[in-house]
Amino acid sequence: MRSSTAAAPRQRAPEAVVWTALVIVYVVWGSTYLAIRVMVETVPPLLGAGARFLLAGALMWAFLRAKNGRARVTVSARELVSTATVGTAMLLGGNGLVNVAEQDVPSGLAALIVSSVPLWVVVWRSLARERASRATLIGVVAGFAGVAILVLPGGEATGAGYGGSLLIVLASALWATGSFFSVKLTMPSDAFVATAYEMLFGGAAALIAGVARGEATSIDFGAFSGTSIAAFFYLVVAGSLVAFTAYVWLLHHAPISKVATYAYVNPVVAVGLGALVLAEPLTPAIVAGAVVIVGAVAFTVRHESLPADADEGVISDEPVIAGARGPERRLGG
């Protein structure tokens, strides 16, 4: 990925500060699945996702505009089209579908299926005839076997039916599609500017989809619970703004192999929080699938990101986790 964020040299930072930023990314992004599950208890899923990203995108755009002037947020028409395409794929097709599915699917299970996104990115790279090592392909096959362990049993084995689980599989594939094309299309070079426009366009698309789905006709603001409203604002502030800022800072100050650990730590955090806070079941199928998927993703991400550390001054152009340009670069958040 070639962007101002990806090209900037890493600056040394105290190890304690680096780990503080990592913990923020681990905990906040890992907790967004729980927050989504709580939000959609009373808030319509697509309208909630759309409002969340529109608000977060507007806040980020306004901050950048106020801090650095209009030039900072001025982009070309081609870049606008690219951010709209990527934002729609990732935030409507990806995050929006996760919101819909989490009305019925436990948050921990959703996070585990979503953790397959890096594997889908490898699939896209292979379809584009980009060479992937044998070790990477082995990791991808193992990871999808773990997804099958989670999706195929259904019912009491996982606490979710086939429909919701398959919807999250589709969401993961769509998020990976947006991530893959974000490094192929002409995008704003500034990661924060790209993110702001992706959230604005993706949020608008989710709102339109929510209206088309009929969510607006049955909306009852008085029925929104206090916990759902709190979860909504947590997703806006912590998930979409604070953790993303910590993530981009890490890309400038820490090796990519260390930053990439969020890809397999987040689902573990999500499963733990789902079990502790919402008493979500940890069935043998979920535990088995978690071990296989997290292990496969850890192996694949580690294998793909290690070469980047050979040159501590440059972030890998195309790490398997689809880099730093766009909203959070992962699905649940």
Side-chain angles (χ1 to χ4, degrees):
M1 173 181 303
R2 291 169 176 80
S3 72
S4 62
T5 298
R10 293 191 186 94
Q11 304 166 10
R12 295 292 179 182
E15 195 70 7
V17 179
V18 170
W19 276 104
T20 298
L22 273 173
V23 169
I24 290 173
V25 173
Y26 289 164
V27 175
V28 174
W29 278 352
S31 67
T32 54
Y33 299 92
L34 174 67
I36 289 173
R37 175 77 168 170
V38 172
M39 183 187 76
V40 300
E41 287 177 351
T42 60
V43 175
L46 291 179
L47 293 182
R52 167 198 170 185
F53 287 115
L54 269 179
L55 179 56
L59 289 172
M60 183 174 288
W61 188 94
F63 175 79
L64 297 173
R65 172 70 169 78
K67 182 180 179 182
N68 302 108
R70 184 168 183 171
R72 175 81 183 270
V73 295
T74 299
V75 299
S76 68
R78 187 172 184 180
E79 289 170 340
L80 279 178
V81 171
S82 296
T83 55
T85 301
V86 171
T88 299
M90 297 175 74
L91 301 182
L92 168 58
N95 194 279
L97 293 185
V98 168
N99 278 30
V100 173
E102 280 206 45
Q103 292 178 110
D104 303 304
V105 176
S107 62
L109 176 61
L112 289 172
I113 298 175
V114 164
S115 69
S116 67
V117 165
L119 311 179
W120 285 107
V121 174
V122 174
V123 171
W124 266 111
R125 289 172 54 190
S126 299
L127 291 174
R129 305 195 178 211
E130 295 179 16
R131 191 170 182 180
S133 69
R134 181 176 299 178
T136 294
L137 295 177
I138 291 174
V140 170
V141 171
F144 283 133
V147 173
I149 291 173
L150 293 176
V151 173
L152 293 181
E156 294 182 3
T158 59
Y162 294 110
S165 297
L166 289 174
L167 194 61
I168 296 181
V169 172
L170 175 59
S172 303
L174 289 171
W175 184 275
T177 300
S179 295
F180 177 78
F181 282 102
S182 74
V183 299
K184 304 298 179 183
L185 300 174
T186 302
M187 302 284 286
S189 60
D190 187 310
F192 289 102
V193 173
T195 296
Y197 281 109
E198 287 178 5
M199 287 197 289
L200 287 170
F201 284 118
L207 283 179
I208 293 170
V211 172
R213 189 170 177 256
E215 292 182 2
T217 60
S218 58
I219 194 169
D220 180 4
F221 292 103
F224 293 175
S225 69
T227 52
S228 289
I229 294 172
F232 170 83
F233 284 106
Y234 177 82
L235 289 167
V236 171
V237 177
S240 296
L241 298 176
V242 175
F244 177 71
T245 300
Y247 174 67
V248 173
W249 182 89
L250 283 166
L251 288 172
H252 288 289
H253 295 85
I256 191 65
S257 59
K258 181 175 288 187
V259 181
T261 56
Y262 82 86
Y264 41 93
V265 174
N266 283 169
V268 176
V269 172
V271 170
L273 287 175
L276 288 172
V277 178
L278 298 180
E280 293 178 351
L282 287 176
T283 66
I286 290 179
V287 173
V291 170
V292 175
I293 292 178
V294 173
V297 170
F299 173 81
T300 304
V301 170
R302 182 72 177 171
H303 180 79
E304 288 290 299
S305 61
L306 270 176
D309 292 331
D311 180 359
E312 284 295 312
V314 180
I315 294 175
S316 175
D317 274 347
E318 291 189 21
V320 71
I321 53 168
R325 188 168 56 200
E328 298 121 27
R329 291 307 105 196
R330 34 83 65 199
L331 211 166

